[in-house]
Each structure stands twice: as C-alpha cells, then as structure tokens.
Amino acid sequence: MKFSYNWLTELSGTKKSPEELAELLLTHSFEVEEVRPYEHGLSGVVVGEVVAIAPHPNADRLRVAQVSTGEESRQIVCGAPNIAVGQKVAVVMPGTKLQNGMEIEAAEIRGASSLGMIASEEELGIGQGKEGIVVLPPDSPVGSPLATLLGLDDVIVDVKILPNRGRDALSHFGLAREISALEGRILDLPFPQERFSSEQGVRDAFTLSVEAKSACLFYAGLLFDLSTEKKSISLEMKGRMLMLGHHSLFPAVDLAQYYSLLYGQPMHVFDADKISGRSLSVRFAHPGEVLTVLSGHEITLSGEDIVIADSKGPIALAGISGGKESAVSEETKSVWVEMANFDPAVIRRSRVRHGLPTAAAYLFEHGVDPIWPAILPSSLIPSFEKTLGAQYKGGVRYQGSEEKEKRVIHFSFDRIESTLGIVIPKEKVISLLRGLSIGVEMSGEEMTLSIPSFRSDLLDEVDIIEEIGRVYGYEHISPSIPLVPLLLSEENKEEQMSRVALSECAALGFDEIMTYSFYGKEEREESGVPLDEHLRLRNPMNPDQAYMRAKLLPMLFRKMRENMYRSESLRLVERGKVFFREGAAPREEDHLALALSEKESDASEIFFRLKGMAEHLLEVLRIDTEIAFVHAKSAPSFFHPGKTAQVVVEGKVIGIIGEAHPDCMKKFGARKMAGAEFSLDAIRDLSLRPRSMRPLPKFPFVTRDISLRVPEAVTVASLEEVIRRAGPPLLKECVFFDVYEKGREKNISFRLAFGAADRTIEKTESDHAFEHIVEEAESVLGAQLSL
Amino acid sequence: MVKENIARIIEEGKEAFALATEEMVFAELEKKYLGRKSDLSDILKGLKDLSPEEKREAGPLANEGRLVLERAAEEARTRIASFKLASEEHIDITVPGRKPAVGHLHPITRLTHEVEDIFSTLGFSVVGGQEVETEFYNFDALNIPSDHPARDMQDTFWIDSEGLDSQYVLRTHTSSVQVRYMEAHTPPFRIVIPGRAFRNEATDASHEHTYHQFECLMVDERGKVTVAHFKHIAEMFFREFFGRDVKVRLRPSFFPFTEPSFEFDISCILCDAKGCPVCKQSGWLEIGGAGMIHQKVFEKAGYDAGKYQGFAWGFGLTRLAMMKYGVTDIRLFMDGDIRFIRQF
C-alpha cells in the first residue's frame, strides 16, 4: 500500500527521514518496496488573483483577465464561464509542461496576448472538473506554488503490509501506530471511543435487515442531508488523496474515501434518494440477478455474492463496488454512508469471480477491524457536518455476533529465551508490549496479556514471542552453536545412485539438461504411454504443457533437434521424475534418459554405440546379473520398430533403447540418433549380489575362436546360449567378437576358453569339447562351422 | 712411449664416439678403435716384444682402455639408433589430442550436490519427496487455510483429479514434504529436501513456473533449537557455500506454517555489502524464507502439542545459481541449450 510520508509523520510524530523510516520498518515490521518523492508535475503553477476581467475584442466566448501572481500582474485569455473578479485561481506560467502533455507558452489568442493559462482541475491532473477553472479558497496566498497549497511536496512510501497485519496496518493511522510503537510511544485514537447507537441524533434513517448474517458481521449506515450547504473537502485533503491515487469526485465520496485511507475502514456512499422503499437489506444475491457496477460493467450475480439491496433489487456488490444507479451525482441531495464488516473469504471469492479488484475489496480481504462501524461514526458525523456542511439525519446499526471479550494470552517469560535464544530484560519486554497497546499484568514469571481488537493476528504465546523479537530487533540475536545428539544422517540411496549415474554419463560425454515436468499432446502420443495413464493439468500454462510427462525421451528428442545444428556430436542426458496415473492415485518414478547422435560416418552403428554405453552404465551401477535385450512389443512411436529393445533384468523391464524412427529422424534433420530410458527406481530395486572373491585359475586355459554360419534369423544371443549350454564342464569363457551378414546367412564368431580347475587339459580334450559345441549348434540352430 | 700411446688412443676414441651421429661413421670408428686391426689391438699384439716392466704397465692399461672405448661405443650406438628413429618416425606433437567427449552436469545438479554435501557434513539427511502432492500436504498440513489466496488457480498448478483419491497439485514448495516426513519420524531430526517446485505464472527473464528449491528442517524437544541456532547454521552454510564470510539478516515476515516467520537476507557477496546493482545498492540479497515451525504443523503430523520445537527454512537454488554464475535469464536453466550447459 502507498503511504504519504507527511501524513505518517503528522500522525505518528516520528522525526525520521523517509529513508530512515523505511529502514525502521524494513527491519522491524514490513518490507518497503519504494521510497520516492511524489512527482506532482505542478512546478510552474502558482496561485493568482483575478483582478479585472474584460470582454475579448474578437471572440464572444473568451474573456481577457488581469491576474496578479504576486509581484506582477499578467494578462490571460480565458474561456471559462465561472471566472470572476476576486477569485483565487491556478495560473500555469508560460514554459510549463503539464502532466497531460500540454505545453503552455505566451501566445496571441485571436489578437489578444495571453501570458499563461488559468487551469481547470482536469488540466492540472488534480481532479475531474473540466467545466470551469479551479477556484481556490479565498485565503490562498497569491504567488505561492499550487503544489505547496495541495501539500504535494511529499514522499510516497510503498509498504508491503504482511497479509496477517491487514487489520491493523493497512491505513495511515494503523501504520503510524506501528511506527510510534517502534519508537516507544503509544498512539491513541484522536477521538473518543464512544459506541455509536441508532438512538444517537435524529431517527430519520432507513430500515435495515441483515439476512446474510454469516457474511456480514457489522453494518452501520448514516443518513446526511447535503441540500443546505455544499462545501468541498480541503485542498490538502484532496492533494493527499491525489498522491495516493484517488481522484476527487464528489465531496461526500471524497470525505468517506479520506476516512478509509486514514483508518482502513472502507465506506460506500449511496445517493439516499435513489434507494427505493427506504429500506435496505444485506443478503446473498439471487443467482442470475444483474447489477451495473460503478465502473459501468454489468455483472451477473451468483448465490455466493452478498449484495446491498433495496426494495427493487441489488444496489451494490457488498464490500466491492457500488451500483451505478444509486451512485452519488451532482444532483445528490442526501447520502447514505455505509460502513460495514464483511467476511474476507466471501469478498475475495466475489472479487475474483467478477474481476473487480477495488480498493475496498483489498481492505476487506485483508480483514478490517470490526470495531470501526461501532466507533467511527463519532468522528465521521462531526466531520461531515463541519467539512461538508451536511446535516446528520440519523443512522442504523446492526451488530452480528457479540464482540469478543478482549482476548487474553498467558505468557511465560522464559519462553523468549527458549525460542529466540536470547535474553531480553523483563522491563524491556513489558515496555515493548505496552508500546504495542497490549495490556500487561505480571505475576512472577507469568504474564497475562490483553490484546487489542486490531491485533487479530496475535492468538497465542508464540505470536507474542514474534512481536517481542521483531520489535526488539532480530539483529540482536547472535548466532549460537546448537548442541545436538551425534546422529548418523540417513542414507539416501536414490540420491547416491543418481549421482553415480549422472557422473558416469558426464564421463561418457553426455551433457545433462533439464526440461519441464509436463509436455503436450504430441509428446504424449510419442511416449507410448496411454492417455488414461497420463496425469493431466487442470490449468496448464498452455496446451503444450498440459500433461505430466510419463517418459523423458519425447522431450529429450525434441531438445536433440533444437541442439542439432549446434554440435556435430550430441549426447544428452536427463534425470527426473515421470508421472503415471495408477488406479486412483498418481505415481512418480525416477528416470534417466540418454540420447545420442554422431557424425554421418558413425550413423550405422548408432544403436550399438548407445547400447554399449548403456551396458557400461549399468555395470557401473553394479548390475552384474544378466541383462537381456528383447524386442519391444509396444515401443514409443519415435523408435524404429526393427531397432528397439526392452532392457530386461531378472524378468523385469528396467528400460528401453532404440534407434529413432526414420520419420522422426526426418523431422529432426538428416542425422541418425538413438535414445534410451531407464527407470532408476527399477534398477535400484534389483538385488545386488553380495560380492566374494573367486579363486584365480591355477592352470592355463586354451583359447580357440569359433566361427559359425547360421540362418539370418538366428540371433547372437540364441547362439551364445547354445554354446554356453553345450560347453561345460571345460568351456570357461565365451566372448562374442564379430558378426557379418552374407546373403540370407550370417557368420557369428566367439572366442572360447577351455580349461579345468585341477589340471592342464590335453589338446584332445579341448578338441572334443569344441566339436561337441559345433554339433549342438548344428542340431539346434542349423549352424555350420565356417572355415 | 707405449703408455702415452694408449692414453692418446683412448682420448681420441672417446671423443670420436661422442661426436658420431651417423651409422656409417660409427661403423668406421668401431672398426678403428675396437676391431681386430685397431691400434689398441696392435699394441696388445706388440706387448710380447716389450720389456717385462713395460709389459706389466701397458697390459692392464690397454685392457682398461678397451673397456672405456666399448662403453663409449655403446653410448654412441644407443644415441644414434634413437636419433635415427626420431628422424624417421617423427610426428607433429602440436596436433591437438583426440579427446574423449567431456560431458557437463547441469549447474543446478552441481549446486544441489554442493548444498547436500555441506548439510551432510552437519549431520543432515537428504530426503526426497513427491512433485505431485495432495492438497492436504501442500496446504492444509502447513496451516494454509482453504480460502488462502495461494490456492487460487493463478498461483497453483492443479492436477485434473477426476477419479483420483484426492485433490492433487504440483507442489508449490518443498515444504510439502514436512508433514509427510514427520508422520514417519520422531524428533530429533535434521533434514534437507532438494527438489522442483512449481508456480503457475508466466515465464520471462526473471520468472519461471518451474524452479529448484531447498528446504531445511531441524527439530528437537522444546527449547533445544532456537532462532539463534538457526542463524548459526544459516551463516555456516553460506560461508561454506560461497567460501567467504556471509552475514545473515532476519526480517519479519508471515508464513502460515512458521511463527515467528522471517525473510532472510545475506550480505551481498558480489560487492561485500557495499552496494551494487545486483543487491539494488542495499548491500543485502533476499534469499529465502524461514521461521520456527508452527505448532499447528506439528499437530497435523500427530506430535504432542508443545513438545517439539524447530526451524524450517527454504531457499531458491535457481536464484543462488543465478547469483553464483551471473545468469541473467532464468529460462536458460530449463531450456536444454547445450551452449549454456557446456559452460559448467
């Protein structure tokens, strides 16, 4: 909220400069977003007195005025109908540029010289009056700057009032009270706190019925007659409101607004003659009811909105905006001033529903002190009478639930030290609490505190500790070393494994990227995970981010494409959560995805390059059980159907690997690429074999290569399986080293090692074992020994 | 005479071998000094004609001389062979090496590891959490009332929870892990929770809807963990993280799940708190929020009222990364551009 520095100092009596005040608030109360001198744009505008007026020789609608601006008198041509001799007016001196962009120069106007301009409110940017020139009070000193007269030589202090302090601090009086407390003074209300009652004054008011009792806690309405005398609020009050962003409208509205800035109680002013049936009700709207609000928008009400209604229907959206029909105008003769207290949550929902972020709504949402409607009339009524010349005709008051007794908090002195970790002298604590208008009664180490109504945020002991801490100053708390039991921190296997995996990927040349946790329809379809297993966002930023990702690869491939032109060789890795819908609950899994693309020359090998890296990675993660690569039955659509494998360990699928589909590649540019995605959770769950040493062989092995010609359909894995089955007891190792295809056949080669634990085997023995292997391969797979 | 001759031959021979650089020359020298018809051989052969005294003197001298020359020849042979290899099979050693590709960890990952390591040395456990979280753990458990503005559609990503067992959101802070952890553990504990959090706001150079956070919790019996302790741990952490002394400033704030609540600033590490554009001339950098855990949060976790006390603080890792590396556009972190990643 924006505050006037002058107003704050006037109310609080602080001697601090704006910057010092900001520092004080920052360290003890609220963040100060900005401190800046108010730019009024009125330098070059001074008070002048109209000394003489003559008709313009060449224009009927213009007149030539002689205006004194102190030392000198100047001639100004003026078209305003309300100009008169003896008036004090605002003179814009030649060479001045006004806020609306208008530049005033000495000029000839239809043959008469004019040295300046006599301005209207609108031209000066200080109000909406444009019909005539501003007429200043008769006692305005001639020649003095208009800005001084309006009190605009001020500094705006923009303070971020904390959300739980709205009730006490969202007003000039409230913040001044806070400042006084910080400086050790108690600021009391400048008027007697007499309870307003309907009996007070003349009983000529409207009848009131409050039906929405749950949402309207308090309502006071005051009726004023404005017909006898019409006076405006003072220039200084106008100036202040202007600085804080409120343009002067009608005197009664202005004064109510001024009160709201001062005390934080929003008020609404109705034209009393436009209230039908002289009766008002505060009720929930009937769904579908329509109201044209002050801004001119027509809104359709819902059953959750509260309205002020007369006998014909809603005339205001309670706590947010008045209706256009019942608004005050030039013709208004009597007004109904409403000050009420509405439920913050109801106001907030209505404000959001109708998109009406008004100043009143802001205050109500933050909570307004319910005491105001009870006591403020005793200040407002005399003020209306004195300032506006209004006549008070009576009022009504509704009070919902009984006002709570003064809240009491029991507080034990030693809790300060045990929470904040510092010792504050008892006398200091007491004076500090009293400064905050909190009543203190001591008995030994215990205190009984009575909390004023405006501090609804203080509910228990710990809230009091916070008050003491912040007012005393957190800077006085010196860091101290905690004495804690020496406990071992818990092992985090997820974290450890992901670290090893990522570091190894980096060692293999992969660059780690991070992408959003959501993706769009296209990626969702590519992922191969069905729609009903995807979690969907109810309010995504845009359609491309509507689904929670169920796979990392779709986005990783997208990033490959984006990076393709940046590097000849691309290796990307991402580690992150993927999300599924499993029955009625969401499930998250930790995944790791790799993607690889290399220069054209390596492209035919791309699948095996990545497969090798993946195998390497799994070995580093100490997966030493057998890893099987089996053809994937349902692969994501961006994979080549013939070049995709599921990675299976102990019968569980832990990941998928494949070359990108040719269509996908076309989309990504000419380069081939491959990708793989693993579930780190699945890998972590694999049983890690306990390791123990195997004795080293004592006798030498005989190694021998075997090359077998097999039909095209036979896989390396199936041939290896046959060899391993046929080989024992003498076969000790079988390592693949080559495959090449020739027509409809292929040639697969392994290096075999034969041996025994207790002796050096004879050549005949290894020959025999070798032959047995060849026979088996022939009978099972139709293999022929190639020569 | 013979003595002088031997000495002269040895000196000449040594020098000649030392100067030899070519195989041909070497072969000649070998023949000349060590061959059958070498001067030294001649002397040895002529020994029989000498007097017994001369024989006694010249014999050992000549044999010794032969050994010296053989050593000199061996040195020359090695040198010449190596010279020959070097000149025949010579490469340009300034050609750049064939470097295996070097991968780069994401800066957020690097910092996450750093932060975890610092807290680990202080006995904090690293705890994970869910990114899709129930409305309860993200809001209600943290004493955030149902009509709190933070729950608005414009601040929170909501999961379409039709058919799900609960209302789910993308966690708006890592604080959502607090009550989940407490339900399964009894104080004392010290934990840190790194991870992604989400806020439904449009992105620009300084705003991201996805950002990385750290949450830190320390809880013990009432009175054992105070604000003063929090200040100490925060200062210690930042000193270690930035490698220099850092001051922590606490300012009043409000969070429903802590009381007292603080905004915490650290003295600007870029200008040593003297004032610079990054700290907007204030000398302080706004880093995060903190506070003493609200008793209502403990109650939601099922702890006995008033039994425990502790602090919670959270700070933006993305923000720290921007500060530490001078990153001016926050969107780079989630953009996947290798030209950015390869700088770290």
Side-chain angles (χ1 to χ4, degrees):
Chain A
M1 176 176 168
K2 290 186 171 60
F3 291 88
S4 146
Y5 166 75
N6 287 347
W7 205 353
L8 287 176
T9 48
E10 187 184 300
L11 290 164
S12 69
T14 184
K15 301 277 186 291
K16 290 193 158 55
S17 71
E19 289 70 26
E20 289 164 347
L21 188 62
E23 184 65 25
L24 179 78
L25 288 171
L26 183 76
T27 47
H28 297 285
S29 309
F30 308 113
E31 208 165 302
V32 176
E33 308 216 74
E34 196 184 22
V35 176
R36 67 177 159 84
Y38 179 67
E39 283 172 32
H40 49 65
L42 294 177
S43 5
V45 184
V46 299
V47 178
E49 184 173 356
V50 181
V51 184
I53 301 176
H56 191 287
N58 305 320
D60 293 345
R61 303 184 65 180
L62 295 179
R63 282 185 282 178
V64 180
Q66 300 301 321
V67 184
S68 157
T69 50
E71 317 254 295
E72 41 162 35
S73 180
R74 56 182 63 230
Q75 175 173 309
I76 299 174
V77 175
C78 177
N82 64 334
I83 189 166
V85 172
Q87 279 174 340
K88 296 283 175 64
V89 293
V91 178
V92 186
M93 304 297 257
T96 302
K97 187 175 180 183
L98 293 173
Q99 269 181 334
N100 64 4
M102 194 191 275
E103 277 179 65
I104 309 303
E105 298 294 348
E108 289 267 312
I109 298 177
R110 315 261 318 248
S113 78
S114 181
L115 300 171
M117 180 176 84
I118 305 175
S120 69
E121 279 189 353
E122 196 203 28
E123 285 161 337
L124 295 171
I126 60 168
Q128 296 185 326
K130 52 187 169 186
E131 292 304 311
I133 53 169
V134 185
V135 179
L136 302 171
D139 57 352
S140 310
V142 172
S144 73
L146 182 68
T148 311
L149 206 63
L150 287 163
L152 297 181
D153 296 317
D154 199 348
V155 175
I156 301 290
V157 185
D158 195 348
V159 184
K160 213 166 143 187
I161 303 296
L162 289 171
N164 61 334
R165 296 286 305 277
R167 184 187 272 212
D168 79 292
L170 274 176
S171 69
H172 279 75
F173 178 79
L175 192 61
R177 183 168 51 199
E178 173 79 7
I179 294 165
S180 301
L182 294 178
E183 294 184 340
R185 294 185 306 276
I186 300 176
L187 181 62
D188 286 321
L189 278 176
F191 57 85
Q193 294 193 34
E194 277 166 29
R195 301 279 151 146
F196 160 74
S197 73
S198 316
E199 283 73 38
Q200 198 176 330
V202 199
R203 294 199 63 192
D204 193 16
F206 300 168
T207 57
L208 173 79
S209 72
V210 174
E211 292 160 29
K213 290 190 163 54
S214 59
C216 176
L217 316 175
F218 215 123
Y219 191 102
L222 308 172
L223 186 66
F224 291 99
D225 184 348
L226 296 175
S227 59
T228 45
E229 198 180 350
K230 273 195 179 176
K231 282 201 286 189
S232 211
I233 59 168
S234 75
L235 275 181
E236 204 180 356
M237 287 161 100
K238 270 191 190 174
R240 267 186 188 158
M241 290 172 60
L242 179 70
M243 270 189 311
L244 301 171
H246 300 270
H247 283 279
S248 169
L249 294 165
F250 304 104
V253 177
D254 291 351
L255 188 56
Q257 183 61 255
Y258 187 81
Y259 258 77
S260 167
L261 289 170
L262 181 53
Y263 295 116
Q265 166 67 52
M267 295 185 201
H268 185 64
V269 184
F270 296 91
D271 183 328
D273 298 323
K274 290 178 186 159
I275 297 174
S276 301
R278 295 188 74 76
S279 76
L280 283 171
S281 63
V282 181
R283 60 164 168 87
F284 284 103
H286 307 309
E289 273 184 315
V290 169
L291 173 72
T292 304
V293 292
L294 275 177
S295 59
H297 293 285
E298 189 183 275
I299 59 170
T300 304
L301 299 163
S302 105
E304 288 172 59
D305 295 319
I306 23 176
V307 293
I308 315 299
D310 63 10
S311 60
K312 284 188 188 158
I315 56 169
L317 181 59
I320 299 175
S321 174
K324 205 167 174 63
E325 272 186 42
S326 59
V328 173
S329 68
E330 290 289 349
E331 288 78 41
T332 298
K333 292 188 178 61
S334 68
V335 291
W336 177 254
V337 180
E338 162 194 296
M339 51 185 99
N341 197 288
F342 301 109
D343 182 345
V346 174
I347 299 298
R348 191 174 74 81
R349 285 194 291 268
S350 288
R351 185 263 297 164
V352 171
R353 189 176 308 122
H354 300 296
L356 291 169
T358 62
Y362 184 80
L363 288 172
F364 277 125
E365 280 179 42
H366 284 80
V368 172
D369 190 349
I371 203 165
W372 292 127
I375 62 171
L376 215 45
S378 59
S379 167
L380 190 84
I381 294 168
S383 184
F384 259 67
E385 290 173 337
K386 202 172 130 229
T387 313
L388 306 180
Q391 255 189 307
Y392 176 58
K393 306 298 273 184
V396 293
R397 169 184 154 174
Y398 160 84
Q399 186 178 339
S401 53
E402 276 297 301
E403 255 189 296
K404 277 177 236 147
E405 292 281 305
K406 268 210 165 176
R407 235 166 328 109
V408 163
I409 296 175
H410 297 285
F411 177 73
S412 150
F413 186 75
D414 60 2
R415 291 285 288 133
I416 299 173
E417 190 185 351
S418 69
T419 305
L420 299 179
I422 43 164
V423 179
I424 307 176
K426 208 175 283 177
E427 306 71 51
K428 181 77 200 165
V429 171
I430 293 170
S431 79
L432 196 150
L433 288 171
R434 292 207 168 124
L436 291 166
S437 314
I438 294 171
V440 183
E441 270 178 59
M442 284 293 294
S443 90
E445 293 300 295
E446 303 291 313
M447 295 181 184
T448 304
L449 309 175
S450 26
I451 310 301
S453 75
F454 54 84
R455 291 306 302 272
S456 56
D457 58 314
L458 304 182
L459 298 171
D460 52 32
E461 206 173 45
V462 72
D463 298 319
I464 299 299
I465 294 170
E466 177 169 51
E467 287 303 289
I468 294 166
R470 72 174 183 90
V471 177
Y472 185 65
Y474 292 135
E475 70 273 22
H476 296 306
I477 300 178
S478 322
S480 92
I481 300 172
L483 295 172
V484 294
L486 183 63
L487 296 172
L488 211 57
S489 58
E490 275 173 71
E491 195 184 21
N492 185 329
K493 289 210 173 99
E494 284 88 346
E495 195 46 43
Q496 285 166 3
M497 193 168 96
S498 106
R499 269 203 203 197
V500 173
L502 282 177
S503 309
E504 195 57 32
C505 287
L508 287 169
F510 285 87
D511 291 317
E512 188 203 0
I513 63 163
M514 290 186 181
T515 63
Y516 293 140
S517 302
F518 16 72
Y519 52 37
K521 182 165 173 278
E522 198 178 326
E523 290 84 13
R524 193 208 77 214
E525 286 169 356
E526 285 172 353
S527 73
V529 177
L531 173 60
D532 58 6
E533 285 174 32
H534 269 89
L535 290 171
R536 191 204 307 247
L537 284 178
R538 207 158 76 201
N539 55 339
M541 293 295 304
N542 58 60
D544 290 341
Q545 303 179 349
Y547 301 92
M548 297 306 292
R549 60 183 181 189
K551 278 253 171 5
L552 299 178
L553 271 177
M555 228 32 202
L556 199 64
F557 271 4
R558 184 163 294 263
K559 293 298 170 186
M560 288 291 280
R561 173 178 60 186
E562 287 175 17
N563 280 303
M564 208 61 101
Y565 74 93
R566 294 175 183 139
S567 183
E568 281 198 319
S569 163
L570 264 186
R571 296 176 188 184
L572 296 185
V573 60
E574 178 168 16
R575 177 242 167 171
K577 297 275 187 107
V578 296
F579 307 84
F580 308 97
R581 181 181 179 140
E582 217 175 55
R587 187 167 64 82
E588 296 181 13
E589 224 174 70
D590 206 4
H591 273 210
L592 183 87
L594 304 167
L596 171 72
S597 162
E598 303 198 317
K599 274 180 294 182
E600 209 62 56
S601 55
D602 299 321
S604 59
E605 279 286 297
I606 197 90
F607 176 88
F608 296 107
R609 297 271 293 155
L610 187 64
K611 183 180 173 188
M613 291 174 181
E615 287 171 317
H616 170 101
L617 185 64
L618 292 173
E619 196 171 329
V620 168
L621 294 175
R622 300 178 76 82
I623 303 306
D624 54 3
T625 38
E626 197 192 329
I627 302 166
F629 290 80
V630 299
H631 270 290
K633 281 169 217 107
S634 65
S637 65
F638 49 69
F639 275 148
H640 191 302
K643 300 181 179 178
T644 300
Q646 281 183 329
V647 186
V648 181
V649 177
E650 290 175 354
K652 241 171 58 180
V653 178
I654 61 161
I656 191 159
I657 179 167
E659 189 179 306
H661 195 285
D663 292 347
C664 168
M665 233 117 67
K666 246 178 264 159
K667 211 160 66 180
F668 288 175
R671 279 205 342 245
K672 284 200 178 190
M673 64 177 181
E677 180 160 347
F678 293 96
S679 160
L680 290 176
D681 288 342
I683 292 176
R684 198 172 39 244
D685 291 343
L686 291 175
S687 47
L688 289 188
R689 262 187 231 159
R691 301 211 170 205
S692 56
M693 200 206 83
R694 286 186 299 272
L696 306 180
K698 288 198 181 92
F699 300 94
F701 289 169
V702 178
T703 61
R704 197 166 161 190
D705 293 349
I706 188 169
S707 254
L708 294 162
R709 204 167 65 242
V710 292
E712 197 189 5
V714 174
T715 64
V716 171
S718 58
L719 182 57
E720 183 176 334
E721 199 192 327
V722 169
I723 295 173
R724 283 184 182 279
R725 223 163 345 123
L730 294 184
L731 181 72
K732 297 300 178 197
E733 285 166 18
C734 169
V735 180
F736 164 85
F737 73 84
D738 187 43
V739 61
Y740 72 88
E741 294 192 22
K742 198 176 163 192
R744 316 210 59 177
E745 291 186 320
K746 58 186 171 187
N747 219 69
I748 304 175
S749 309
F750 297 91
R751 174 150 299 159
L752 307 177
F754 299 97
D758 54 353
R759 68 203 144 90
T760 303
I761 56 169
E762 301 289 331
K763 185 169 186 304
T764 50
E765 287 181 281
S766 59
D767 285 351
H768 186 75
F770 186 88
E771 276 154 29
H772 180 62
I773 288 171
V774 174
E775 281 162 21
E776 280 295 302
E778 185 181 352
S779 77
V780 180
L781 298 171
Q784 293 293 318
L785 192 62
S786 22
L787 301 167
Chain B
M1 262 321 272
V2 181
K3 256 166 66 185
E4 282 77 26
N5 266 344
I6 292 172
R8 183 182 47 78
I9 290 167
I10 289 168
E11 276 314 303
E12 271 181 19
K14 264 165 73 179
E15 197 171 332
F17 277 122
L19 292 173
T21 54
E22 279 173 41
E23 273 185 316
M24 296 261 286
V25 178
F26 176 76
E28 283 300 313
L29 291 176
E30 208 174 20
K31 213 156 116 190
K32 181 173 174 196
Y33 289 103
L34 295 166
R36 277 166 184 244
K37 291 177 182 164
S38 66
D39 293 352
L40 214 54
S41 292
D42 288 349
I43 290 172
L44 283 169
K45 276 177 205 154
L47 278 181
K48 58 182 189 307
D49 305 328
L50 298 177
S51 67
E53 291 96 275
E54 278 180 317
K55 238 193 252 180
R56 231 187 346 270
E57 227 174 37
L61 216 56
N63 279 323
E64 208 176 290
R66 195 182 162 80
L67 286 176
V68 170
L69 289 176
E70 273 171 0
R71 263 201 308 278
E74 189 51 38
E75 266 170 39
R77 194 196 331 273
T78 314
R79 192 181 64 245
I80 290 165
S82 132
F83 183 76
K84 186 183 169 207
L85 192 61
S87 62
E88 282 171 2
E89 299 180 19
H90 140 105
I91 56 163
D92 176 359
I93 46 116
T94 67
V95 170
R98 269 168 232 145
K99 190 172 67 166
V102 177
H104 303 79
L105 291 183
H106 194 284
I108 294 286
T109 301
R110 280 183 190 283
L111 289 190
T112 303
H113 293 171
E114 266 183 52
V115 173
E116 286 173 354
D117 291 346
I118 296 171
F119 279 117
S120 293
T121 60
L122 292 171
F124 282 74
S125 306
V126 179
V127 173
Q130 301 173 212
E131 289 173 21
V132 170
E133 187 52 278
T134 62
E135 191 181 8
F136 174 79
Y137 286 108
N138 194 70
F139 294 125
D140 303 81
L142 295 167
N143 195 31
I144 302 172
S146 55
D147 59 355
H148 195 278
R151 292 192 175 198
D152 278 354
M153 290 288 266
Q154 57 262 44
D155 290 318
T156 305
F157 284 114
W158 291 83
I159 295 287
D160 183 352
S161 301
E162 206 189 311
L164 292 180
D165 52 5
S166 180
Q167 287 291 323
Y168 287 90
V169 300
L170 292 193
R171 66 175 177 199
T172 56
H173 44 200
T174 41
S175 309
S176 57
V177 181
Q178 287 187 12
V179 168
R180 266 191 193 279
Y181 185 85
M182 289 179 197
E183 283 173 344
H185 297 79
T186 310
F189 57 74
R190 276 167 276 169
I191 58 169
V192 283
I193 309 146
R196 284 185 183 199
F198 307 84
R199 226 155 264 177
N200 194 348
E201 63 175 12
T203 55
D204 61 33
S206 48
H207 295 90
E208 242 302 357
H209 51 56
T210 301
Y211 54 98
H212 289 79
Q213 261 194 343
F214 251 89
E215 181 93 357
C216 169
L217 247 62
M218 178 167 175
V219 179
D220 206 328
E221 279 164 15
R222 187 160 154 163
K224 288 194 175 165
V225 181
T226 67
V227 176
H229 296 145
F230 163 62
K231 252 189 161 176
H232 172 79
I233 287 183
E235 283 195 0
M236 200 156 52
F237 168 77
F238 286 113
R239 183 161 57 233
E240 200 59 31
F241 185 79
F242 289 113
R244 61 204 307 190
D245 273 341
V246 171
K247 282 218 168 349
V248 167
R249 176 173 79 170
L250 302 182
R251 288 187 285 113
S253 188
F254 173 75
F255 307 109
F257 43 101
T258 49
E259 184 79 24
S261 302
F262 315 110
E263 292 296 327
F264 77 91
D265 304 337
I266 59 169
S267 49
C268 183
I269 42 141
L270 298 162
C271 63
D272 269 327
K274 288 189 186 82
C276 67
V278 175
C279 63
K280 294 180 195 139
Q281 307 305 328
S282 71
W284 296 97
L285 295 169
E286 218 179 300
I287 294 285
M292 301 302 284
I293 298 166
H294 205 293
Q295 286 301 324
K296 292 226 171 91
V297 175
F298 287 143
E299 282 165 31
K300 293 273 185 192
Y303 291 173
D304 292 341
K307 188 169 178 191
Y308 299 111
Q309 183 175 311
F311 64 76
W313 60 306
F315 54 89
L317 200 63
T318 310
R319 198 174 146 68
L320 279 187
M322 290 180 84
M323 234 179 268
K324 186 152 181 162
Y325 299 122
V327 178
T328 48
D329 190 333
I330 195 171
R331 290 168 296 193
L332 286 168
F333 290 106
M334 302 300 286
D335 185 52
D337 189 330
I338 50 163
R339 293 170 303 177
F340 174 70
I341 299 297
R342 285 181 177 173
Q343 295 181 33
F344 299 97

